[in-house]
Amino acid sequence: AVALKAGAGQSGGFIQPFLYGVTGLRIEQDGLVPQFAPTLPKELTYLKMVNIMVRGQAFDVSISWSSSGRVVRQVAAKTASHT
């Protein structure tokens, strides 16, 4: 299992191959857009990327195996918290 967390304004070059390659997502005008089916090496049970910033919006992206053996993608936009 792998979890990647992007810090504020850093790690973009490191995260990009995972974001584009594994998740199949692309950054478009409307934010994160599915372009290809997600992939996941059989050696991993899941991949989770948190706080991916796209055009001022934070997203969490998870790739995992479903019970039927398919790779599934979940993208969740995070809401801004004012504390």
Side-chain angles (χ1 to χ4, degrees):
V2 176
L4 302 173
K5 184 173 183 177
Q10 57 188 339
S11 305
F14 175 75
I15 298 291
Q16 190 171 350
F18 292 99
L19 184 63
Y20 283 1
V22 176
T23 69
L25 297 170
R26 295 295 181 267
I27 298 173
E28 300 288 342
Q29 191 65 28
D30 296 332
L32 286 176
V33 177
Q35 184 92 23
F36 302 102
T39 62
L40 191 64
K42 293 209 181 278
E43 295 82 13
L44 298 178
T45 54
Y46 72 92
L47 173 74
K48 183 173 184 178
M49 295 180 281
V50 297
N51 295 328
I52 303 300
M53 294 298 295
V54 177
R55 303 195 192 295
Q57 173 70 53
F59 293 89
D60 289 349
V61 180
S62 298
I63 307 297
S64 60
W65 293 98
S66 71
S67 59
S68 64
R70 298 186 66 212
V71 178
V72 293
R73 168 181 52 221
Q74 293 180 318
V75 180
K78 299 176 107 175
T79 58
S81 62
H82 302 286
T83 57

